[in-house]
Amino acid sequence: MTEEKEIGFIKAWLVDALPYEVFWAKEDGSLVYGNPKLCERLGYKRTELTKLTIFDINTTVTPESWQRHWEALKRNKIESFQAVHKNKSGAFYEVEVYAQFFSNNRKEMVCAIMRDITSSSFYKNLVNNVESMAKVGGWDLNLQDGSILVTPEAFRIFNTEIKEDFHPSKIVQYFKDGERFRKHIIETTRNAVPFDGVFETKETPSRFIRSIVKPLLKGDKVYKVVGIYQDLTEQVKRENKLNFFKDVIDNAQDLIYVYNKSGKLLEYSNSVSSTLGFSKKELDRATVFDLDTSVTEAWWESHFSEIKKNGSLQMEWLLTKKDGTKFPADVVANYMHYEGQDINCAVVRDITTRKERDVKLFQALEEIKSLKDKLEVENEYLQEEISSSINAGNIKCKSEVYAKVLEQVYLVAPTDTTVLITGESGTGKELLATAVHANSSRKNRPLIKINCATLPKELIESELFGHKKGAFTGAVADKVGKFTLADGGSIFLDEIGEMPIDLQSKLLRVLQEGEFDELGGSKTIKVDVRVIAATNRDLAEMIKEGRFREDLYYRLNVFPIYNIPLRERKEDIPLLAQFFLEKFSTRAGKAFKRLSKKTVAALMAYDFPGNIRELENLIERAVIIENGTILNTGSWMPTVSKNTKASELLTFEEAQRQHIIAVLKRTKGKVSGINGAAGILDMNAKTLFAKMKKLGIEKETIFKT
């Protein structure tokens, strides 16, 4: 046999021995040859196969598409692609096709080599890693004369052009495990034992070569060995990579389930066992109905149909562990089709922590909403205060006696001490309260003001402490109380003597404990509020009459400030009158610049029983009535002081005596120290004691007068 014929024999044998499907087709699509592997896969005999066309085994091909394919192959010579073939029984399977155009003796044909890829592992399909078909090189060793034949593809695989390198004694040098290859070759040549193995090369980077060796016998003796080499490097890398991905999936924290349509658990990650508490033996024979007793067959069928229709589905579910405990989970169910089966691949994540976070976030958002509502109410309240406030924060004073009152304000302001401001109506107690707050560390928080005398008795509690919707008839919405608004700031309780006796205990609790309960509420509210109270009533007398709690009084009266009447600080009248003149002139659009000397003298002669408020109203009336740039006396001016009558004129000593007694009554007999009579009279305490002795004023007789 010539070498050319022998090579032809080898090639023919290689085509029949290849583990791939091979066919030849003509331009009209008819099949002229199919190797045994193709016949076996399609289920046809060779005689049947040659009567078929390409359109019989690939139903997606049309005469037009085949003609385009033929022309493309004719131009490009080689093409590779994936296709779906149909066997004799009508079942479909996927193949990778390596097609080559050739012409011999004017006969044009297409040779197609195909690899069945439907049997690839599940994980290959999972990562969509379909690789091209491997090329194969062959060799033939004649043991009788030692000659060896090698196909061109084999030379390419080993990157050599020397035929002798393929002799078994030399080829072993290419492999890391050459000794194993050598033993297999010895077994084949001596004992006619074929082998099929994969060997790693020594090069860097190394490759993986598959070697299939088959002995040819004459009688019972091996006279020739034929074999093929196939570079499986990419395939091995893919398999290693797939194994890595499988390890990743198995070690993923998320739970991964693979179910078939009937609910049988086909695959699962290790986390399923560790999280749910089932053994792998239990999981291997489990169904979805075993793992979740709440799942019915009807629900599963509907669920499977939905993911098949949509491709995937996300939902939240309550999973049950083996011990019966449950936990919330996020489920992403994905539809897959594998080896003719509908598959549900579900990725499940425990969202217990997320749910707990959501609850905390919801609570935080509710708190933010509450604070936002509170801030809006505060802002609305403060806007009202700004628009309605008259001369807030501006205390006009040049008299020394009133400067001592302000000195007490500045002393107590930096502390958190409760302040009780007393004095006649209209003396500016609210301005003193504002000054206390403005000079405190709480000045950046609101000063909430409430007049206890202006609110109906039944609404004071709601106004101070707030209420919940439905707490009483007419409570159609939640209301934030003034103490809540004042949290972190101050609250000014004007006319504190008008507070109902039954509500005073609740105010006392706020002062003592810093907490209260809103009407209709179920939670105790904690607040940090500084209380500034004011009254023109004699609280000590009200205590005796049972109309004011003694314990509340002592809680309020920690730092008392007596706001003296205007008649005792007459030096401030011109200053205050000028201030009011400018204020009301601007408001009325008048041109007044100052008061006349006569007007000032008349004002100084008047005792102003209504105090600063009366002076303010007087100047406002004058601005309306009069015109010009200088305010003169007129009909607006009171002619006689309501507190002075001719019949009541006293000697200088008697006037002194009565005035000192009046001041001592105000200070409850206290002569020296803070808020003592000496301070109010701007006298040295020893001088005042001497004066009292001279005028016959004794402490025991003060309150009898």
Side-chain angles (χ1 to χ4, degrees):
M1 182 182 294
T2 65
E3 183 173 335
E4 184 177 347
K5 289 182 179 180
E6 198 164 359
I7 290 176
F9 169 76
I10 293 173
K11 289 183 176 180
W13 178 84
L14 281 173
V15 171
D16 280 349
L18 279 177
Y20 305 106
E21 303 166 34
V22 180
F23 69 74
W24 299 343
K26 294 195 297 186
E27 186 175 2
D28 62 0
S30 61
L31 304 182
V32 297
Y33 168 78
N35 72 346
K37 185 70 174 177
L38 179 67
C39 294
E40 178 188 346
R41 189 66 181 88
L42 292 177
Y44 294 102
K45 297 178 181 178
R46 184 169 291 189
T47 54
E48 293 175 317
L49 188 69
T50 54
K51 295 177 182 179
L52 301 177
T53 67
I54 188 66
F55 313 113
D56 295 316
I57 64 172
N58 188 339
T59 57
T60 64
V61 176
T62 64
E64 292 78 13
S65 66
W66 171 254
Q67 190 60 41
R68 289 194 298 271
H69 179 62
W70 180 275
E71 295 299 330
L73 270 174
K74 194 171 183 178
R75 286 193 309 272
N76 303 326
K77 304 303 181 185
I78 297 173
E79 283 193 357
S80 60
F81 53 89
Q82 292 184 5
V84 177
H85 285 179
K86 184 177 79 170
N87 64 19
K88 187 176 181 179
S89 63
F92 292 92
Y93 65 98
E94 296 181 24
V95 293
E96 283 183 334
V97 182
Y98 175 81
Q100 184 173 1
F101 183 86
F102 66 92
S103 176
N104 186 22
N105 295 327
R106 297 183 181 180
K107 291 182 179 179
E108 294 180 337
M109 288 192 185
V110 167
C111 176
I113 301 174
M114 293 149 290
R115 183 167 72 94
D116 186 345
I117 61 174
T118 57
S119 60
S120 298
S121 72
F122 167 75
Y123 291 101
K124 285 186 180 179
N125 285 333
L126 184 63
V127 296
N128 297 318
N129 190 13
V130 179
E131 301 292 344
S132 63
M133 179 171 52
K135 295 181 180 179
V136 177
W139 57 277
D140 179 308
L141 174 62
N142 192 321
L143 297 180
Q144 292 178 335
D145 59 11
S147 62
I148 188 168
L149 299 175
V150 182
T151 63
E153 187 62 27
F155 285 116
R156 190 199 64 79
I157 290 173
F158 285 92
N159 195 26
T160 181
E161 296 178 356
I162 302 171
K163 184 168 61 173
E164 286 72 20
D165 285 347
F166 286 87
H167 194 281
S169 62
K170 292 186 177 181
I171 201 73
V172 295
Q173 298 173 10
Y174 282 88
F175 302 126
K176 288 183 178 180
D177 194 0
E179 183 60 25
R180 181 166 67 91
F181 183 85
R182 188 183 68 81
K183 288 180 178 179
H184 281 304
I185 286 291
I186 291 173
E187 278 291 302
T188 302
T189 55
R190 291 181 181 177
N191 302 319
V193 178
F195 76 87
D196 183 344
V198 178
F199 299 87
E200 185 178 1
T201 64
K202 292 180 179 179
E203 62 195 321
T204 303
S206 63
R207 292 180 298 140
F208 295 88
I209 308 298
R210 181 184 183 187
S211 176
I212 302 175
V213 178
K214 180 180 179 181
L216 298 181
L217 301 175
K218 280 187 178 180
D220 58 355
K221 290 186 179 181
V222 178
Y223 78 99
K224 185 180 288 189
V225 177
V226 295
I228 61 170
Y229 292 116
Q230 181 184 15
D231 189 342
L232 297 181
T233 303
E234 292 303 318
Q235 181 179 334
V236 171
K237 285 182 178 179
R238 288 197 303 272
E239 288 175 354
N240 289 340
K241 190 175 182 180
L242 289 172
N243 287 332
F244 170 73
F245 284 140
K246 187 178 186 305
D247 287 341
V248 169
I249 290 172
D250 281 341
N251 291 284
Q253 189 174 2
D254 289 344
L255 283 62
I256 301 173
Y257 303 80
V258 179
Y259 291 106
N260 65 13
K261 193 172 183 180
S262 66
K264 176 71 174 69
L265 183 62
L266 304 178
E267 295 283 347
Y268 54 87
S269 60
N270 291 337
S271 54
V272 174
S273 176
S274 59
T275 302
L276 299 186
F278 292 98
S279 68
K280 292 194 174 185
K281 187 176 180 181
E282 290 173 316
L283 291 173
D284 287 341
R285 60 172 182 266
T287 67
V288 67
F289 312 109
D290 299 324
L291 300 181
D292 193 336
T293 55
S294 66
V295 174
T296 63
E297 291 186 7
W299 183 91
W300 178 253
E301 184 177 348
S302 172
H303 171 69
F304 212 100
S305 298
E306 188 174 359
I307 64 167
K308 185 174 182 179
K309 177 183 176 182
N310 300 321
S312 66
L313 178 67
Q314 185 170 4
M315 61 183 182
E316 288 189 4
W317 197 257
L318 202 59
L319 262 66
T320 306
K321 298 182 180 181
K322 185 179 179 180
D323 61 8
T325 58
K326 298 179 183 292
F327 64 91
D330 183 74
V331 180
V332 180
N334 300 282
Y335 172 76
M336 301 177 70
H337 187 78
Y338 176 70
E339 291 189 343
Q341 283 196 89
D342 290 331
I343 300 296
N344 177 353
C345 178
V347 180
V348 179
R349 175 166 294 179
D350 185 344
I351 56 172
T352 303
T353 304
R354 192 186 82 191
K355 286 292 185 182
E356 291 172 351
R357 248 189 343 257
D358 288 348
V359 170
K360 290 179 181 177
L361 179 61
F362 175 77
Q363 292 172 342
L365 289 173
E366 284 295 301
E367 185 176 353
I368 290 170
K369 181 179 180 297
S370 174
L371 291 173
K372 177 176 175 289
D373 293 343
K374 177 183 173 183
L375 188 62
E376 288 176 350
V377 174
E378 283 183 5
N379 184 58
E380 183 181 347
Y381 174 82
L382 291 175
Q383 290 298 326
E384 291 173 358
E385 283 294 305
I386 290 168
S387 63
S388 64
S389 176
I390 299 174
N391 194 28
N394 294 308
I395 299 176
K396 303 299 178 183
C397 163
K398 70 176 184 179
S399 65
E400 292 185 10
V401 65
Y402 200 69
K404 292 184 179 298
V405 175
L406 296 181
E407 184 179 345
Q408 296 177 67
V409 169
Y410 299 135
L411 281 173
V412 76
T415 71
D416 282 337
T417 302
T418 302
V419 178
L420 177 62
I421 303 171
T422 58
E424 296 176 11
S425 180
T427 54
K429 295 186 286 296
E430 184 177 328
L431 289 181
L432 288 185
T434 302
V436 170
H437 176 74
N439 289 278
S440 73
S441 59
R442 299 170 179 263
K443 60 186 177 183
N444 294 323
R445 293 293 296 155
L447 168 64
I448 305 300
K449 302 173 185 177
I450 186 166
N451 191 317
C452 300
T454 61
L455 292 173
K457 177 181 177 181
E458 59 273 10
L459 292 182
I460 292 181
E461 183 175 7
S462 171
E463 193 70 22
L464 287 176
F465 305 112
H467 65 252
K468 287 294 185 182
K469 179 180 178 181
F472 52 84
T473 303
V476 295
D478 290 352
K479 177 180 176 61
V480 179
K482 293 294 191 288
F483 268 98
T484 303
L485 290 177
D487 191 19
S490 306
I491 190 167
F492 176 53
L493 301 176
D494 200 5
E495 303 296 350
I496 188 67
E498 307 303 321
M499 179 172 285
I501 188 73
D502 54 350
L503 190 58
Q504 292 176 19
S505 60
K506 198 162 186 176
L507 175 59
L508 180 64
R509 181 187 175 195
V510 178
L511 289 169
Q512 290 178 331
E513 309 295 338
E515 63 183 31
F516 62 88
D517 298 323
E518 58 185 351
L519 283 171
S522 58
K523 293 193 301 184
T524 296
I525 298 174
K526 289 273 188 182
V527 290
D528 174 22
V529 179
R530 181 185 196 169
V531 176
I532 305 169
T535 184
N536 60 1
R537 295 291 196 97
D538 186 346
L539 296 183
E541 189 64 29
M542 291 181 69
I543 292 171
K544 292 178 182 178
E545 296 170 358
R547 292 188 292 123
F548 202 85
R549 291 179 64 107
E550 186 175 15
D551 48 3
L552 177 59
Y553 171 73
Y554 289 120
R555 272 287 178 182
L556 293 171
N557 199 40
V558 177
F559 194 94
I561 297 177
Y562 172 61
N563 198 19
I564 62 177
L566 184 58
R567 62 182 174 274
E568 294 180 16
R569 47 177 290 207
K570 287 199 172 186
E571 300 97 313
D572 293 330
I573 290 176
L575 183 66
L576 291 167
Q578 182 64 32
F579 172 78
F580 292 134
L581 178 68
E582 293 172 1
K583 171 184 173 182
F584 293 118
S585 294
T586 301
R587 184 180 296 178
K590 296 291 185 78
F592 290 111
K593 300 296 182 184
R594 62 184 179 85
L595 296 92
S596 68
K597 290 183 179 180
K598 187 176 179 181
T599 301
V600 171
L603 293 174
M604 292 283 284
Y606 185 61
D607 282 346
F608 287 100
N611 293 296
I612 297 172
R613 188 181 296 118
E614 184 182 2
L615 173 61
E616 181 179 19
N617 294 339
L618 200 63
I619 298 298
E620 183 177 12
R621 184 164 68 252
V623 169
I624 294 171
I625 294 172
E626 304 295 335
N627 289 296
T629 58
I630 300 174
L631 181 63
N632 295 302
T633 57
S635 60
W636 57 273
M637 191 73 192
T639 54
V640 181
S641 174
K642 296 178 181 179
N643 289 345
T644 306
K645 296 180 181 177
S647 60
E648 294 177 352
L649 293 176
L650 306 172
T651 64
F652 179 67
E653 281 195 356
E654 183 61 28
Q656 280 186 317
R657 185 177 187 279
Q658 288 192 12
H659 185 57
I660 291 172
I661 290 173
V663 173
L664 286 170
K665 282 184 176 181
R666 177 68 62 183
T667 64
K668 297 180 176 56
K670 185 177 181 181
V671 177
S672 58
I674 297 175
N675 294 325
I680 294 173
L681 295 170
D682 195 18
M683 298 175 67
N684 184 280
K686 291 182 179 179
T687 304
L688 180 56
F689 276 119
K691 194 75 172 175
M692 290 169 61
K693 185 175 182 181
K694 179 181 177 182
L695 296 172
I697 301 172
E698 297 180 0
K699 285 187 178 182
E700 292 78 8
T701 60
I702 290 173
F703 297 104
K704 295 179 181 179
T705 306

